[in-house]
Amino acid sequence: MTDMNHVFLIGRLTRDLGSDERSFAYVGNGQQARANISIAVNRSKKEGEQWVDEVNYFDVTIWGKTAENLKQYLLKGKQIAVDGYLRQDRWQKDGQNFSKVVVVANNVQLLGGKSDGSQATSNAPKFQPRQQSERQYNAMGSSSADSGFPEDIPF
């Protein structure tokens, strides 16, 4: 039977990506990008009659094209969603054993909008329909300029 290792977190970046060499680098002879970020995840819990805020910090590693493409948008305070898995790194130093649990991201999404105060959002790429799709719609006898839909929907 296979075990499950899956984590989904929503939090805010604790520092800008690329502020030092340890946070963004190309590894494996410069072949693959690696981004190391840290996110703060807030949660509220009830202690007695009062709600108390609790903050947890998680280290996240992003690999490949995702790391390259998000580099300019991952700024301190930006809210992101991370979907990935946990990895435990183990090493020895001066005869002592150490370990650290890191989230390895499979998917990272930028959250928030222009109202979150982040300058990165205004420069974020916008969705653009593919040119080929528009030509296909027009070839079907319906113009995307008429209704915005390729055909009439009967409801």
Side-chain angles (χ1 to χ4, degrees):
M1 183 166 105
T2 302
D3 297 328
M4 181 180 279
N5 180 356
H6 189 183
V7 63
F8 184 81
L9 298 169
I10 296 177
R12 295 193 179 271
L13 291 161
T14 61
R15 65 183 179 273
D16 290 351
L17 177 62
S19 57
D20 61 15
E21 191 174 301
R22 294 176 70 195
S23 69
F24 186 87
Y26 287 92
V27 295
N29 296 328
Q31 297 296 319
Q32 188 173 28
R34 184 212 63 227
N36 291 324
I37 61 172
S38 178
I39 61 172
V41 178
N42 297 311
R43 72 183 281 268
S44 295
K45 65 180 187 175
K46 195 166 188 175
E47 288 184 3
E49 293 295 317
Q50 293 189 358
W51 287 92
V52 178
D53 287 332
E54 177 181 84
V55 180
N56 292 289
Y57 298 93
F58 298 96
D59 292 326
V60 178
T61 302
I62 308 167
W63 290 98
K65 288 288 185 188
T66 304
E68 288 180 39
N69 293 336
L70 291 176
K71 183 178 179 185
Q72 63 182 326
Y73 305 112
L74 296 179
L75 302 174
K76 183 178 180 177
K78 179 69 179 163
Q79 188 179 41
I80 64 170
V82 176
D83 181 16
Y85 62 93
L86 299 175
R87 183 189 70 218
Q88 184 178 25
D89 294 333
R90 297 178 186 153
W91 69 96
Q92 277 190 340
K93 183 177 179 182
D94 300 328
Q96 287 190 318
N97 294 327
F98 294 92
S99 71
K100 179 180 180 178
V101 175
V102 178
V103 176
V104 178
N106 291 328
N107 187 7
V108 177
Q109 294 203 355
L110 304 174
L111 302 177
K114 293 183 181 179
S115 62
D116 72 355
S118 173
Q119 68 184 21
T121 312
S122 62
N123 296 330
K126 307 271 190 290
F127 172 75
Q128 296 288 329
R130 293 186 352 195
Q131 297 292 339
Q132 182 181 14
S133 297
E134 290 177 13
R135 276 184 258 138
Q136 286 174 343
Y137 293 159
N138 289 334
M140 294 171 57
S142 175
S143 168
S144 59
D146 295 338
S147 66
F149 295 101
E151 56 189 45
D152 292 328
I153 300 174
F155 59 89

